[in-house]
DNA sequence: GCAATACTTAAGCACATGCTTAACAATCTG
DNA sequence: CAGATTGTTAAGCATGTGCTTAAGTATTGC
């Protein structure tokens, strides 16, 4: 089985890449749009995006000359799951509590 | 304000360091005990522990000639919190639930 | 068609990372 | 005290990371 935790955590260990993820939470964006807040060359940004894509955090497709990037739903799942497993025994009660909480209700 | 997300995610991006954290969830351990599962020199292990300690994930104290390492409660909190904030709007319902679970409480 | 736009590819460079071995403490044990 | 145990310090090395600039390749709009 392929373990991509190295790539996921590695991708998140860089502030520029985290900022890109934060931007993408608000919706898909082109490479240029993602590059705009940074004092960084476009190739630099593209390299960061490649890291995020290799980690499965982001996906992209090219339409015409524009590459649109978006978050992969659940792309952070492996990271969340791993961290969730490393709770101290003292914190375990909270885990059990969550099991008994009712599933999320319709909040409309 | 100092931002240690780089260090926390960076520390978790290495499989050896994650394995050490997994071991420490089951209780404190000496440097030698932590080193035992690895085909790695002791200085190598100590360097990994230094990364975990710099990230605030682990703490250690030396008694006699033995250094005992343990998890810092809530040391993974910054990572958990950041990931929790990057949920897609579609996943937002889960956020409300997590609000009731996150703060580490006094479990005495 | 021609120029502007939006990337892409390639190469290179400084610095960080993940190890190693060798040598050095410091502490316990018989 | 002598030797074994436990960790530390220092140095070095191969590889990875995070940029850069320069030059190229589609597309699109006039």
């Amino acid at each position: 089985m392929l373990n991509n935790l190295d790539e996921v955590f590695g991708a998140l260990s860089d502030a520029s890449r985290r900022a890109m993820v934060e931007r993408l939470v608000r919706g898909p964006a082109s490479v240029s749009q993602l590059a705009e807040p940074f004092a960084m060359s476009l190739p630099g940004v593209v390299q960061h995006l490649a890291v995020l894509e290799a980690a499965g955090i982001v996906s992209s497709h090219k339409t015409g000359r524009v590459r649109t990037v978006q978050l992969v739903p659940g792309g952070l799942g492996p990271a969340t799951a791993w961290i969730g497993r490393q709770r101290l025994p003292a914190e375990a009660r909270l885990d059990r509590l969550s099991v008994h909480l009712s599933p999320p209700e319709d909040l409309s």
Side-chain angles (χ1 to χ4, degrees), chain A residues 8-93:
Chain A
V8 173
F9 283 125
L12 298 181
S13 72
D14 182 274
S16 300
R17 286 192 291 263
R18 286 197 306 276
M20 291 175 193
V21 169
E22 289 170 5
R23 164 62 188 83
L24 290 171
V25 171
R26 301 203 304 277
S30 71
V31 171
S32 310
Q33 288 172 334
L34 285 168
E36 191 268 332
F38 297 98
M40 190 192 300
S41 68
L42 209 65
V45 171
V46 170
Q47 284 167 28
H48 280 305
L49 290 173
V51 171
L52 288 168
E53 193 153 8
I57 296 173
V58 140
S59 69
S60 72
H61 56 97
K62 199 165 182 178
T63 311
R65 63 187 167 184
V66 176
R67 176 169 299 279
T68 301
V69 184
Q70 57 186 310
L71 285 188
V72 171
L76 298 176
T80 308
W82 186 88
I83 290 181
R85 266 181 273 120
Q86 311 316 316
R87 296 182 173 286
L88 290 170
E91 306 175 55
R93 295 201 304 173

